[in-house]
Amino acid sequence: KAGVTQTPRYLIKTRGQQVTLSCSPISGHRSVSWYQQTPGQGLQFLFEYFSETQRNKGNFPGRFSGRQFSNSRSEMNVSTLELGDSALYLCASSFGGYYGYTFGSGTRLTVV
Amino acid sequence: SQQGEEDPQALSIQEGENATMNCSYKTSINNLQWYRQNSGRGLVHLILIRSNEREKHSGRLRVTLDTSKKSSSLLITASRAADTASYFCATDAGRDDKIIFGKGTRLHILP
């Protein structure tokens, strides 16, 4: 079966711009989580969606937002980009907590 | 904030040797998971151990969990070059169905 698909794979943006990243989960998975990975902070939880509802949110500013559609696909948006937003953004989908998460290959965002 | 903390941060061993990584966490959990990440790629789920389990095997992987010490270990036996990667533990406290990752152990297998 198809894995978790994240698009685009690479992105270069300028400070102050906004960006939208997309994630298509494994068919049947209704939970989608987003993580930011940087060398300094490691993997930081951004938010989790389940059946189009945000169930959890990490400790990130309001510039980071997301949504989930009825087909479980999810998008995350970052507005007013800062240099510190440069990171690998990972999406993961799951049936639920006891089944582990399947991760996409990530979107590498570079802010210049 | 990190819930799990892996030890050591980095590990280099000869191919064929066993590699052991440890993870300590702070609060009670429903389950603990181990993931592997090859350089700059997505994470791959390796194994999940529930809080009422003490040991679990999957191929060359052996995971133990000691809830009294709030710690887990991942053993990779007969290591191969392809095992070179970063390994993360992730804890699921169950209250809000999100998992929190540690900072990982970088494993390097020497030929």
Side-chain angles (χ1 to χ4, degrees):
Chain A
K1 57 182 178 183
V4 177
T5 303
Q6 288 189 250
T7 56
R9 287 293 310 278
Y10 302 93
L11 206 49
I12 299 175
K13 289 286 189 178
T14 305
R15 273 181 300 174
Q17 287 186 314
Q18 75 163 17
V19 66
T20 299
L21 311 181
S22 179
C23 172
S24 294
I26 287 177
S27 178
H29 286 190
R30 292 161 67 188
S31 168
V32 174
S33 299
W34 288 88
Y35 290 82
Q36 181 197 65
Q37 186 177 30
T38 58
Q41 298 299 316
L43 280 151
Q44 300 283 316
F45 173 77
L46 280 157
F47 26 66
E48 187 236 352
Y49 288 86
F50 185 87
S51 293
E52 301 179 65
T53 301
Q54 186 182 87
R55 285 205 298 195
N56 295 292
K57 190 177 191 307
N59 198 22
F60 278 81
R63 300 184 298 106
F64 291 81
S65 63
R67 59 179 176 168
Q68 187 179 34
F69 302 95
S70 59
N71 62 358
S72 293
R73 189 176 72 85
S74 177
E75 289 181 348
M76 67 162 281
N77 185 75
V78 188
S79 62
T80 320
L81 284 165
E82 301 176 0
L83 295 178
D85 297 334
S86 294
L88 180 66
Y89 289 87
L90 293 162
C91 164
S93 73
S94 172
F95 277 122
Y98 281 131
Y99 298 95
Y101 284 68
T102 302
F103 279 79
S105 295
T107 294
R108 181 155 309 272
L109 171 65
T110 303
V111 182
V112 297
Chain B
S1 62
Q2 253 69 33
Q3 154 79 307
E5 193 166 315
E6 292 89 343
D7 170 59
Q9 289 187 341
L11 179 62
S12 291
I13 60 171
Q14 294 293 138
E15 192 168 11
E17 294 182 339
N18 296 342
T20 299
M21 288 157 270
N22 302 297
C23 170
S24 58
Y25 56 92
K26 297 172 185 172
T27 64
S28 61
I29 59 171
N30 268 9
N31 64 68
L32 186 145
Q33 304 169 35
W34 285 91
Y35 289 81
R36 182 187 74 231
Q37 183 181 36
N38 292 92
S39 179
R41 305 297 301 274
L43 281 75
V44 174
H45 181 255
L46 295 175
I47 199 163
L48 180 153
I49 186 166
R50 301 185 185 193
S51 59
N52 61 353
E53 297 175 311
R54 292 297 166 257
E55 187 171 312
K56 207 162 181 182
H57 296 254
S58 176
R60 294 183 296 113
L61 306 180
R62 173 179 168 253
V63 168
T64 61
L65 179 65
D66 186 335
T67 52
S68 66
K69 294 182 179 177
K70 290 187 171 58
S71 68
S72 173
S73 68
L74 170 67
L75 167 69
I76 304 174
T77 60
S79 62
R80 304 168 181 169
D83 295 328
T84 294
S86 291
Y87 291 82
F88 295 87
C89 71
T91 52
D92 180 354
R95 286 183 290 276
D96 49 13
D97 203 33
K98 70 181 183 190
I99 60 171
I100 304 296
F101 287 85
K103 290 206 169 185
T105 292
R106 293 187 310 280
L107 174 65
H108 185 55
I109 308 300
L110 303 168

